[in-house]
Structure formats: C-alpha cells, structure tokens
Amino acid sequence: MRELPTRLPAGRCLREDGRMSQEKKLPSVGFIGLGAMGVPMAKRVAEAGYPLTVLDADAGRTEQVAADISASAATSAAELGKNCQIVVTMLPTSDIVSEVLFGENGLAASLAPGSIVIDMTSGSPNKTQAIASTLARSSIALCDAPVSGGVPRAKTGELAIMLGGDADTIETIRPLVSSMGTSLTVVGGIGSAHAMKALNNLVSAGGFLIGMEALLIGSRFGLSPETMVEVLNASTGMNNSTQKKFKQFVLSRKFDAGFGLDLMVKDLGIALEVASQTDTTTPFSSLCFEIWSAAKKTLGPGQDHTAVARFQELIAGSEVNND
C-alpha cells in the first residue's frame, strides 16, 4: 500500500456497533463534483467516517451539500487540495477533470507528493493516461474508478466500480471506494477502467435500443407492453433495460432515470474511439452510436437517456401502447 502524506487530523473509524473507534485513522478526503451521482456518493463517504471536504462549480450547491452531509466546503480546488490526502473527482468529462487539476487555482499544485486522485468520471482512456503521467511527475498517483448502477445504487452504496491503476494505489484506496460500492473489479492499468466503463455503456445502450424496438413491434401487433417486459425478464431477452428501465421510466412516461442522454452519447463516442485505436471493425456499435446521437440532436439538451425511447417512437411512427 502507498504511504499517504500527512494532512489534517485523520478521522476515526466507525465500528460495526455504530460507535467510533480511535484505533484506526482514516485519511482526509476531498470530493469534487456534486451532481446527481456525486452527492449520494459523497454522502456515503461522509457516513463512513472520513473527514470530508466537498467542492462543486456551483458555490451555493457546495455550501448546501456540505451542510447536509456534515462535510467542509472548499471555495476552490487548490484550497481543497491543501487539506486532503485523497481526492475524488466525479465530473462530466476528462477535459473538465484536466481543467480542475491543472487550470487556474487547480488541484494538482496544492496536493502533496504521495497524494492520490481517484477519477470516478466516465472519462477517455487516452486523456486519463496523459493526466496520470503529468501527476506522476509530482509524485501524485491517479486511479480511474468509473461507476455503474445509477443514482439508486449510489444512494445505497451498492455501485459497481471498475478500478484501473497500480496495485499498491488500488489497495490504499480500496476501503474508501468500498464505502461507495459493493462490486469492485480491478481491470488493469491506468485508463483500463475508463475503457471498460465505455464498453459497458455500449452494451447497455445497445440493449435498450433493441428492447425498445421489440416493444414497438409487439405493441403494434397487439401485445401488452407490460406483459412483454414480464416475459422478457423471465426469458433470454432479459437485460438491464428490461429489468430496470422500461416499466420504471418508459412505460410510466417519466423518462427520469438520472443519467443524461448527452452523457450516454459521450460514453458511446469513447467506446468507438477505443475501437478505432484497436483497429476493431464495429458495424453494430457504429449504428448504435448514430441512433443515440440522432436522438440527442432531435430531442435537444437536458434529456434523460431513457428519452431515446421517444426518438425511437418518432421514427417508428407510433408510441408504445400501454393502455
């Protein structure tokens, strides 16, 4: 395991009986990015007993979340870095991560040698590797640790987390990451977890499209969409969308699963970048990306990713009939 730099007084460890133990000291943690996923994840870290400092681009949100979860609020990434041994970033893109680290009042300049950055963004593998290389020149380690499971599992601390980085660093952060997820999988070196996350979302996105087309076909034939979903979930057609999206967000017409359409398109683009870099021919993946990109363009900004169903209904010329 890596030896962390000395920072603020470390926290106490929460015992199984709920009482605080003085025996095990926890490192001070910073959390940057308080969006739909970031807030419940930061809350899980705070509840695990880690001394926590939070930061968001929205100063008012930073103050509110800090008060809600009993954390400290930072006014800049540089200020946060002065107080923390480990920093988690949960941001929309790798470019934003880079700006937070190396821009004006950036995090990297204030981190002590030996600190660790855990990038839980759904990022670009190439950019992650470049960021890690720059940080390493200051003896700062980086792990990429993107997540899967959405807002509901972020709230319960049951996320699936992919880990990329060197073995010692991963072992050092494992207790912290375990406060946010129950399935931790080491997939390889730096950038490998971000590649895996993009490929996971590629499979998820493809499953959604084909499942939705089946519902449209069956609805026109006269089958009940509710019944179709039940049959799919009891049969070989089952996937994450049939289990956790169609009834909950499509048939209900809520379209509010908590993950943006623009972010899905970004992740699919990353998956195709990896395909191009590895010289892999991907006809279905390319078509999948085209459909999701067209949905984003047609539906406009601010859409939940499950709203792609409305785009599929539009091009099919009919809605899923749930009467």
Side-chain angles (χ1 to χ4, degrees), residues 219 222-226 251 320-323:
S219 182
L223 296 172
S224 161
E226 290 273 356
L251 300 186
V320 171
N321 183 0
N322 197 34
D323 294 335

Side-chain angles (χ1 to χ4, degrees), residues 5-293:
T6 301
R7 285 302 201 192
L8 290 179
R12 294 172 294 168
C13 181
L14 191 65
R15 298 191 331 203
E16 290 184 1
D17 61 6
R19 301 174 68 181
M20 300 305 293
S21 168
Q22 297 285 354
E23 296 177 0
K24 184 177 180 181
K25 300 296 184 180
L26 298 177
S28 53
V29 176
F31 200 107
I32 302 178
L34 303 174
M37 291 290 290
V39 170
M41 290 168 66
K43 183 178 180 181
R44 297 295 305 185
V45 172
E47 289 175 345
Y50 288 90
L52 181 65
T53 303
V54 297
L55 177 67
D56 190 77
D58 183 333
R61 187 170 181 81
T62 300
E63 293 287 347
Q64 185 61 59
V65 172
D68 289 345
I69 67 174
S70 300
S72 300
T75 58
S76 70
E79 178 191 337
L80 179 144
K82 292 177 182 178
N83 298 325
C84 298
Q85 299 161 294
I86 302 175
V87 178
V88 175
T89 55
M90 187 64 178
L91 298 164
T93 68
S94 291
D95 288 340
I96 296 175
V97 172
S98 184
E99 178 63 24
V100 166
L101 284 165
F102 307 120
E104 185 177 358
N105 287 320
L107 173 68
S110 66
L111 288 173
S115 300
I116 299 173
V117 175
I118 308 173
D119 185 15
M120 305 189 84
T121 304
S122 293
S124 163
N126 282 348
K127 292 177 180 178
T128 298
Q129 290 168 347
I131 290 170
S133 179
T134 301
L135 289 174
R137 290 197 284 271
S138 299
S139 298
I140 299 167
L142 182 140
C143 283
D144 45 320
V147 307
S148 182
V151 174
R153 286 170 62 183
K155 289 179 178 178
T156 61
E158 296 177 302
L159 290 168
I161 303 177
M162 296 144 265
L163 295 164
D166 73 81
D168 285 347
T169 304
I170 288 173
E171 287 309 303
T172 299
I173 67 170
R174 186 180 291 275
L176 171 61
V177 176
S178 295
S179 70
M180 295 175 274
T182 51
S183 173
L184 276 58
T185 306
V186 179
V187 295
I190 292 292
S192 63
H194 280 159
M196 185 66 247
K197 173 59 190 293
L199 295 173
N200 173 78
N201 278 12
L202 172 63
V203 174
S204 178
F208 190 104
L209 293 185
I210 199 65
M212 185 61 194
E213 286 191 3
L215 293 185
L216 284 164
I217 296 167
S219 182
R220 282 187 169 185
F221 184 77
L223 296 172
S224 161
E226 290 273 356
T227 300
M228 289 186 68
V229 173
E230 291 174 7
V231 172
L232 289 170
N233 283 333
S235 307
T236 57
M238 176 181 62
N239 63 34
N240 180 260
S241 294
T242 66
Q243 290 181 311
K244 299 180 180 179
K245 297 180 183 180
F246 288 153
K247 283 189 178 182
Q248 296 89 333
F249 306 113
V250 176
L251 300 186
S252 69
R253 312 307 287 181
K254 292 180 178 179
F255 303 114
D256 60 354
F259 181 64
L261 176 57
D262 57 337
L263 294 178
M264 179 64 89
V265 173
K266 178 208 70 174
D267 287 353
L268 297 180
I270 292 171
L272 288 183
E273 286 176 9
V274 176
S276 177
Q277 292 160 9
T278 56
D279 197 25
T280 306
T281 303
T282 56
F284 182 77
S285 298
S286 298
L287 177 59
C288 180
F289 175 70
E290 289 177 11
I291 294 172
W292 282 87
S293 297

